[in-house]
Amino acid sequence: MTKERVVAVRPVPEKISGIILDWAGTTVDYGCFAPVNAFQQIFIQRGIHPTDEEVRAPMGQAKRDHICIMLEGERLSGLWREKFGRDWTQEDVDEMYAIYEDILFASLRDFCEVKPGVLEVVEYLRRRNIKIGSTTGYTPEMMKVVAAEAKVAGYAPDAYVTPEDVGYGRPYPYMLFENMRKLELLTVAEIIKVGDTLSDIAECKNAGVYAIGVVEGSSEMALRQEEFEALSSEKQDNLRKTITKRYLDAGADAVIIEMRDLVALIG
């Protein structure tokens, strides 16, 4: 937890009233695998095999939007036409989303483990009387499962907001604003958001809050903890640099290697 593990292109707010955290890939589910597995399966069931990049590119968005973005991709839309002799429709999205929910709910409890360092960071924020909110691409029903499992493990933010709560998912900023309303936070100038996808960064920029990307265990890194730890030190460092650049290119104000580094950043 050193300054060398933090890259900041803009100083953090002098006063911090609230920190808003993403869920899968940021605070729980190292590598963000629960939604990835489900997205892969709904396409494979239709005889279409998406690449890992195609599955993860829209990560952080509302789940129904995620399916649409995947289908809008040139390769997948072409495969769909080859397979079915027509373009995909909103009815197809509805059917795929219903199956997605079934697949995800069947395994969701297996992907709720709190990531390393999260509980220590929360304890630090509590000591400083900083309120903790959260946003997600999950639905309210999914979050009932995830939040309950995380609470058992010791992680319970003061609020969480889903796309269904406000009518829009990322990159729209409304989940952040709803967190502010729930937590009675006055100004975006005193808010920090931490996430693990480029959609998180876009959400922050559209809301005008300080944007932080977390590297290890993120959807952008797309590795399980044991897979990452099995890499050589050189490969780990190269991967950290790649993900850091990706966040900064997307407009992040700062990047931290893991959640514990948030303490070093905000001091």
Side-chain angles (χ1 to χ4, degrees):
M1 192 165 59
T2 65
K3 292 291 185 181
E4 288 72 27
R5 295 174 58 84
V6 170
V7 176
V9 296
R10 190 163 71 90
V12 297
E14 289 187 10
K15 180 181 179 182
I16 301 171
S17 298
I19 288 183
I20 300 173
L21 306 172
D22 177 53
W23 282 83
T26 300
T27 52
V28 300
D29 187 7
Y30 194 106
C32 195
F33 278 94
V36 168
N37 292 339
F39 284 126
Q40 288 172 333
Q41 288 303 311
I42 61 174
F43 277 85
I44 291 172
Q45 286 184 11
R46 282 160 176 73
I48 297 173
H49 293 257
T51 65
D52 192 61
E53 182 178 353
E54 287 168 333
V55 173
R56 287 191 179 270
M59 287 301 294
Q61 307 251 6
K63 303 315 179 190
R64 193 183 297 269
D65 294 341
H66 189 126
I67 296 170
C68 290
I69 293 169
M70 289 183 66
L71 287 169
E72 288 167 355
E74 183 176 354
R75 194 185 80 89
L76 291 181
S77 62
L79 290 175
W80 185 280
R81 283 191 294 271
E82 289 179 13
K83 181 72 176 179
F84 299 104
R86 61 173 176 80
D87 291 331
W88 60 275
T89 66
Q90 194 59 50
E91 183 178 347
D92 294 318
V93 174
D94 293 341
E95 292 176 358
M96 294 173 74
Y97 180 74
I99 298 171
Y100 169 87
E101 283 199 332
D102 289 341
I103 295 172
L104 187 62
F105 274 118
S107 63
L108 193 54
R109 281 187 171 82
D110 297 328
F111 294 92
C112 297
E113 184 176 356
V114 178
K115 286 180 59 183
V118 170
L119 298 184
E120 296 95 312
V121 169
V122 168
E123 182 181 355
Y124 170 81
L125 298 178
R126 297 295 188 207
R127 290 199 303 268
R128 290 192 54 179
N129 295 317
I130 296 174
K131 295 179 180 179
I132 304 171
S134 61
T135 65
T136 181
Y138 284 147
T139 65
E141 292 75 19
M142 296 170 190
M143 278 307 304
K144 287 178 183 177
V145 175
V146 177
E149 293 293 320
K151 187 174 183 179
V152 170
Y155 174 58
D158 300 315
Y160 66 77
V161 178
T162 75
E164 282 75 7
D165 294 328
V166 295
Y168 295 87
R170 305 175 186 124
Y172 290 93
Y174 307 119
M175 288 193 290
L176 293 179
F177 296 151
E178 179 63 9
N179 268 277
M180 291 181 64
R181 187 193 68 79
K182 284 187 171 185
L183 300 178
E184 300 180 354
L185 300 173
L186 182 61
T187 172
V188 295
E190 298 175 2
I191 308 298
I192 285 175
K193 165 71 191 292
V194 184
D196 70 299
T197 68
L198 303 188
S199 295
D200 285 291
I201 304 303
E203 175 188 40
C204 294
K205 305 312 288 185
N206 290 332
V209 307
Y210 192 91
I212 300 175
V214 60
V215 174
E216 292 183 8
S218 66
S219 178
E220 291 299 316
M221 182 168 277
L223 292 175
R224 301 181 189 278
Q225 187 170 0
E226 59 269 25
E227 292 173 329
F228 177 68
E229 291 175 351
L231 297 176
S232 67
S233 296
E234 181 180 3
K235 287 183 178 180
Q236 288 181 352
D237 288 340
N238 288 339
L239 193 52
R240 292 185 187 107
K241 290 175 183 177
T242 297
I243 305 305
T244 295
K245 184 178 186 303
R246 200 177 295 169
Y247 284 136
L248 295 177
D249 288 346
D253 298 301
V255 179
I256 56 178
I257 298 302
E258 62 169 345
M259 283 299 294
R260 292 184 185 93
D261 301 320
L262 183 61
V263 176
L265 176 62
I266 67 178

